[in-house]
Amino acid sequence: MFVARCLDPFEHQTLPIVGDLAEQPVDQMHEARRVYGPTDEGYLLVLDAAPTVGERACAVEQAGKDMSPGGAAWRAEQLATGRYALDGAWLVSNEWIEPRVMVRMDVSRARTTFAVVETDLES
């Protein structure tokens, strides 16, 4: 879901895919954020027009499920092919795209989150 709805659109400089997902009521404390879902599998998609890092962000969250094995395999493949480079906890796209995007996976006992952020970084 993350690759199809967030990552692929960001890599192709298009909008995330949310048309078939139910939008949740707006949290008045975070008006720049929009939450969609949950899907039948329990995924939530979160769009943030004013993230703390970058220009815009898209994330997929799954409560109570460890999705890190799939994320670790994707990360290893991206590093091996050179499409992304490691920068702290983030993977940053190399020179094949401008503006660059950053990808991160966060895993806790409560949830797994995959996030992509469009940056203002250029090659």
Side-chain angles (χ1 to χ4, degrees), residues 104-116:
R104 182 175 178 154
M105 176 181 63
D106 292 308
V107 180
S108 71
R109 291 181 352 137
R111 76 180 70 251
T112 299
T113 303
F114 292 96
V116 59

Side-chain angles (χ1 to χ4, degrees), residues 38-53:
T39 65
D40 292 340
E41 298 83 11
Y43 297 116
L44 288 176
L45 187 141
V46 180
L47 300 181
D48 193 342
T52 55
V53 175

Side-chain angles (χ1 to χ4, degrees), residues 67-112:
M67 298 185 295
S68 60
W74 179 87
R75 176 184 164 142
E77 179 183 339
Q78 300 308 304
L79 291 171
T81 62
R83 284 178 50 87
Y84 285 83
L86 193 58
D87 185 1
W90 293 91
L91 290 180
V92 180
S93 61
N94 278 325
E95 297 178 5
W96 57 271
I97 185 174
E98 285 187 1
R100 292 184 180 185
V101 295
M102 300 185 321
V103 179
R104 182 175 178 154
M105 176 181 63
D106 292 308
V107 180
S108 71
R109 291 181 352 137
R111 76 180 70 251
T112 299

